[in-house]
Amino acid sequence: MNQEIIEYFNLAISKQVNEMNQEKTALDERTTYGKAFLQLFNLWVENPIVKELIFSKRIAKIASDLMEVDGVRLYHDQALFKEGGGGITPWHADQYYWPLETDKTITPGFRYKRHP
């Protein structure tokens, strides 16, 4: 992806996160998990630009190639944003929490700068 495309999706995701975010608790009053990052799910349901990225055949092909499988299925999308002054992200393994019967899973990450 070139910088222009990254910025296009960055702005769309930031806008959607800002619209969906309902976190009002001050950082110093949150749990360790709550301080780690702002987390929102299934942005694609609300935003057609985000949907375009989430359902990208190119990204699906990259994921299936990395896992050496014939196809992939989306479990959910999520946006994770570190907030200024937020806490650490403790060591963890996401796969432990997923109700799946396979270890053929992947969590692609895109680094975005959140826009106000």
Side-chain angles (χ1 to χ4, degrees):
M1 283 189 191
N2 66 35
Q3 191 61 38
E4 186 177 315
I5 293 170
I6 291 170
E7 186 63 19
Y8 171 78
F9 287 112
N10 185 14
L11 288 170
I13 291 168
S14 292
K15 179 181 177 203
Q16 193 60 44
V17 165
N18 289 336
E19 288 179 17
M20 293 173 65
N21 179 24
Q22 296 185 16
E23 180 61 67
K24 304 294 183 217
T25 307
L27 272 171
D28 61 346
E29 296 176 15
R30 297 185 203 168
T31 65
T32 299
Y33 183 83
K35 290 176 185 176
F37 43 74
L38 175 63
Q39 181 178 27
L40 294 157
F41 295 93
N42 295 321
L43 282 71
W44 72 269
V45 174
E46 305 293 330
N47 187 300
I49 295 172
V50 176
K51 183 176 182 178
E52 178 184 348
L53 176 66
I54 298 304
F55 288 92
S56 163
K57 290 182 180 184
R58 179 178 176 198
I59 293 173
K61 174 71 170 126
I62 292 168
S64 64
D65 288 349
L66 287 170
M67 293 187 290
E68 300 177 332
V69 296
D70 294 330
V72 295
R73 184 178 296 169
L74 177 68
Y75 180 60
H76 66 79
D77 76 67
Q78 65 179 349
L80 298 169
F81 282 89
K82 296 296 276 184
E83 297 177 276
I88 63 164
T89 302
W91 284 101
H92 65 285
D94 291 333
Q95 192 175 35
Y96 174 80
Y97 300 101
W98 300 339
L100 305 173
E101 293 182 15
T102 179
D103 63 354
K104 294 286 187 176
T105 61
I106 190 168
T107 56
F110 301 96
R111 293 179 184 246
Y112 295 102
K113 178 181 177 187
R114 185 171 174 203
H115 292 267

